[in-house]
Amino acid sequence: MEILCKGLVEKYPTAKIFFFTRWNCKNFKGSDSEKVVDAMIEVCGNYSIPIFDCARKGSIYADNDTFRKIYFQKSKNNTDTAHLNSKGHDRFLKVAESFLLQY
């Protein structure tokens, strides 16, 4: 992540660069997934790259089976926790747009 952010800033010094973390997941608190999200936030902060914490502020509840059935792409045993369907994108659009328009 450090190499990526440094390279993006160097290669595209006038670009608006943004990052979004992963969604939350089952047993997120204290997990490796939480550590990855926190590391992303720290690294982006070191480069003044705005990052949105989808895991904690995204209003996408990937850890909930019923929520996934409605807002995520169909998958075997309803296990996809990454890919929103059309309804999911519509739901997240307002959140993402609000974040991006700050900049």
Side-chain angles (χ1 to χ4, degrees):
M1 183 84 182
E2 183 87 28
I3 293 167
L4 175 62
C5 288
K6 182 178 181 184
L8 288 171
V9 170
E10 287 177 1
K11 189 170 183 175
Y12 307 104
T14 62
K16 292 183 179 182
I17 302 168
F18 300 93
F19 276 88
F20 290 81
T21 70
R22 60 163 295 143
W23 314 118
N24 65 12
C25 57
K26 290 187 187 289
N27 304 313
F28 180 75
K29 188 74 175 157
S31 70
D32 287 344
S33 294
E34 183 181 40
K35 292 173 186 169
V36 168
V37 167
D38 291 341
M40 288 178 71
I41 292 168
E42 181 179 342
V43 171
C44 284
N46 292 340
Y47 290 91
S48 298
I49 296 173
I51 183 168
F52 186 77
D53 186 350
C54 296
R56 297 179 182 104
K57 300 177 183 175
S59 77
I60 300 296
Y61 309 105
D63 64 331
N64 182 281
D65 293 336
T66 305
F67 187 92
R68 280 197 316 277
K69 285 179 186 175
I70 298 167
Y71 294 106
F72 280 78
Q73 292 183 19
K74 301 279 185 240
S75 62
K76 187 175 183 180
N77 299 322
N78 192 35
T79 56
D80 186 347
T81 59
H83 305 100
L84 298 174
N85 62 21
S86 181
K87 279 185 179 181
H89 281 105
D90 288 344
R91 180 183 176 101
F92 185 62
L93 175 63
K94 294 177 183 117
V95 176
E97 181 181 51
S98 176
F99 167 68
L100 292 171
L101 289 176
Q102 293 176 65
Y103 302 93

